[in-house]
Amino acid sequence: PRSEVEIKGEELAEFERGTSQDVDAPEKPHADVFPMREISLCGGLLLFNPVTLIIGIGLLWALTAWCTVDAASASANIANGKAWAARYFGWIYILSQNVWLIFLVWVYVKFGNKKLGKRDEKPEFSNGAYFSMIFSAGIGTGLFFYGVSEPLYHATGTYKHSRYEADLTLSRDTRDQHAINLTLFHWGLLGWVTYSLIAVTMGLAAYRHDLPFTLRSTLYPLLGRHAFGWIGDLVDGITVVTIVAGVVCDLGLGAAQIVEGFDNLGLIEVLSLAEGDNKLFQYRAITIWVVTIVAAISAVTGVARGIKYLSILGFSTGTFIWATVLFADKSEFIFNLFTQSIGFHIQWFFELSYASDAWPRLADHSIAQADEYLPNYPADEINGTGWELDQNGADPSWIGNWTLFYWGWWIAWAPFVGMFLARISRGRTIRSVINFTMTVPFGYIMLWFAVYGGASIRMQR
């Protein structure tokens, strides 16, 4: 007679071959077939895979020790590594983001009606609460940090010259519109596609196939049972590292902005980093601790209570501030800018999606890492590179410090946010998940940057 494991395996194979909506996944088919090799402590309160734990903690503590013991060298080497990756592998970042978008469009059209869950399951959260959590998890801090600064950076060329800001044949109006458009592009569809892709694949794996809620499960269709061996352990271990990298980037930016805001309001008094103010680091450290404690409390209280209501509060407060700026500034200008930006973004979307600054990046590698744009760089340093000597194009390092930085940031943040989105998406169709994680957020982002970006550039002018 066939064993229970064999029967479950056959049920799983039947389910995986089926494509109709009226087929539900067999009950826990992988529990015996593909064990996660977990170790249980404290009566089951702590469950972990020791290999994954060692990989994740080992890499993180090694990086932390390096940055602590030799901060200057670590900073320089990490910057060099970033520039090297952008120079030789930037084209892979650019192409892959477009491949994911094309793939997700195909999934949306062909499998949009499939549910992340069984056929009779209903969404756990209302549309309002659902979008608030998506917004807060995916982009909350970033929009506040870059809402004013990024459009101004692109408009003025303060931090690297884009291909548009450096083009003096364009009018100031056109260059400022490009500044808004570049910002929308960095926060638009090609960023959100990484979140949406993991949310859909993770939701299908967990809720329709009853696979463990871990990123390795999304690779099961490709790797089969090997996804639950050492390859899966490696994937989950590296996932832990990328999640921490994404979290600390957001946390650092948010803490810096909060401290700067308190300083501008006169609540605290700090100097700049260049002046070596220890108070600045202390205030930032305190801010990070407070944010971490609040986040931990919300996580402990659960998604349905702490995270849900904290997300609604954050989203509602942000929207109130946004509306205040909208109606306190020149509202007619902002509405015109929003309308104009829709068409402008559609017009330039495909060029931006595949632009890799091939010609400006012909410059020598040392130039590409320069901290500032060098309009009078010695000719003997760039002979033979093919770089345009009039230097009216983009800064060689612009794309690495902006577009490629963003794609790396979105990708690093994707395992955490994507898995969280999958967690709150049970009972929703694939079409609903993609709509709420791509089209709806992008509409809100366009409104956000039209207000903050438009008002800041107008004031600058």
Side-chain angles (χ1 to χ4, degrees), residues 27 108 136 159 174 186 226 271 282 379 395 398 417 436 457:
E27 194 66 28
Y108 183 91
S136 298
Y159 183 65
T174 302
H186 290 152
H226 297 294
L271 302 176
Q282 292 171 3
D395 186 301
W398 181 88
V417 177
F436 272 97
I457 292 177

Side-chain angles (χ1 to χ4, degrees), residues 75-94:
S75 178
N77 281 283
I78 290 173
N80 290 338
K82 172 172 163 280
W84 179 84
R87 179 176 176 83
Y88 293 104
F89 299 103
W91 61 274
I92 296 179
Y93 278 86
I94 291 168

